[in-house]
Every structure is written in C-alpha cells, then in structure tokens.
Amino acid sequence: MNDLSLQSRITAPLRTPTDLGAEARVDIAAALTGLLADMFALYLKTKNFHWHMSGPHFRDYHLMLDEQGDEIYATTDVIAERARKVGGTTLRSIGHIQRLQRLADNDADYVTPEDMLAELADDNRRLTGFLRATHAVCEEHNDVASTSLIENWIDEAERRTWFLYESTRAAR
C-alpha cells in the first residue's frame, strides 16, 4: 500500500454503508446520539444517588438503584453501535454528553432519599418521552431495527418510573 492510499484510509470519514439514505443517516444518528447523552446522564445520576443513599430503607433503595443503573448502562453501547450501523457517528467525550443532554445533573451535597427517588422517577418519565420521539424519527425513515430496540427501552423506562414512584408512596 502506498503512502497516499494509507493517508486516504486514515482520513476517510466514518460512514458505514447503509440502505437508509443520507437524510435518514443524519436524522437517526442525531436522535440516537441525543438519546445516548441522556442515558449517560441518567446512568450517572442513578449511580450518584445509589452511592449517596442513606436512611432506614438504605438497602432496598441502594439495591434498586444499582439494578436500574445496570439496566440503563446496558443500553449505552447498543445505542452508540446503532448510530454507527446506520452510517452516523456518536458521542466522543464527556463534554459532548454535556452539550447534548436534556436531563439535569444533580451535584447537591445532600439529597433526601425521597427526593432522590422522585427526581429519578421524573427523569425516567422524561426519558420515556425522548425515547418515543427517537422512535418516531426512526419510524419515519423505516428503521425497524432501531424502533424495535427502542420499544424495549420504553418498557424498561416505564418500569423504572413505576418502581421509583411506588417506592415514594406512603404505605396504607
């Protein structure tokens, strides 16, 4: 291989071949990348609250948030790889996540367990909306593989919302 051929391979844009078309590639990859930023933001907040949980229900809440964090994290690689499979690119750094995320961070020194669970329930509810919007973009471009994955993630987010909500309700 000559130097010119090697140089062109090194500087060639990352563009996986796809039959979805140029507009679909751009739209779907952008929607998935925004979703990925939110997933990382939610993952880190869930782990933050997991690490800083306290109180009489510590064990139950600590374990629930650990399980939810694992579930959220499991989606991240699939989302990023899906963006690449459709011919786009995806996140490159923590700064990139920060620029795209729609879910707010929580850097407070102390948050009550009830407020932690309520905030995560709200974030998961919002995430469900972001998932539905991303699903619509993928559906518009007939990307059935992405829509199928997203449908499962919607169910997972709704389940997390339900568990978090029920954990904050007063017992009768």
Side-chain angles (χ1 to χ4, degrees):
M1 183 178 318
N2 64 35
D3 287 340
L4 184 58
S5 176
L6 177 61
Q7 183 60 33
S8 67
R9 288 182 61 194
I10 292 171
T11 60
L14 295 173
R15 195 168 299 134
T16 304
T18 180
D19 67 340
L20 290 172
E23 184 179 342
R25 176 180 55 78
V26 171
D27 292 351
I28 295 168
L32 289 170
T33 299
L35 181 62
L36 182 59
D38 289 319
M39 285 291 196
F40 273 117
L42 182 59
Y43 168 73
L44 191 54
K45 183 186 285 185
T46 301
K47 292 307 281 189
N48 169 21
F49 290 168
H50 159 81
W51 295 322
H52 295 100
M53 183 56 67
S54 62
H57 300 288
F58 167 79
R59 185 177 194 285
D60 291 335
Y61 295 163
H62 182 78
L63 293 175
M64 178 177 64
L65 296 182
D66 197 31
E67 178 183 292
Q68 290 188 1
D70 289 348
E71 183 176 83
I72 295 162
Y73 185 74
T75 67
T76 59
D77 194 50
V78 180
I79 295 168
E81 288 181 358
R82 191 70 206 142
R84 293 289 292 124
K85 286 177 192 176
V86 300
T89 60
T90 194
L91 295 175
R92 298 182 185 279
S93 67
I94 298 292
H96 197 177
I97 292 169
Q98 185 180 29
R99 288 188 300 277
L100 296 179
Q101 76 185 68
R102 295 163 284 192
L103 298 176
D105 295 330
N106 185 325
D107 296 330
D109 288 340
Y110 178 76
V111 180
T112 67
E114 296 78 17
D115 286 346
M116 288 178 181
L117 299 181
E119 188 171 332
L120 288 173
D122 185 58
D123 285 345
N124 276 280
R125 200 169 24 258
R126 290 188 62 217
L127 179 70
T128 301
F130 302 152
L131 285 159
R132 290 184 202 287
T134 303
H135 186 280
V137 170
C138 296
E139 191 172 45
E140 176 185 334
H141 293 292
N142 199 30
D143 179 5
V144 295
S146 293
T147 59
S148 177
L149 291 166
I150 292 168
E151 288 163 5
N152 290 319
W153 299 330
I154 289 170
D155 185 57
E156 291 173 0
E158 289 175 335
R159 183 175 192 267
R160 289 190 303 269
T161 300
W162 173 42
F163 274 49
L164 291 159
Y165 169 75
E166 291 297 340
S167 295
T168 63
R169 288 184 39 177
R172 291 184 187 204

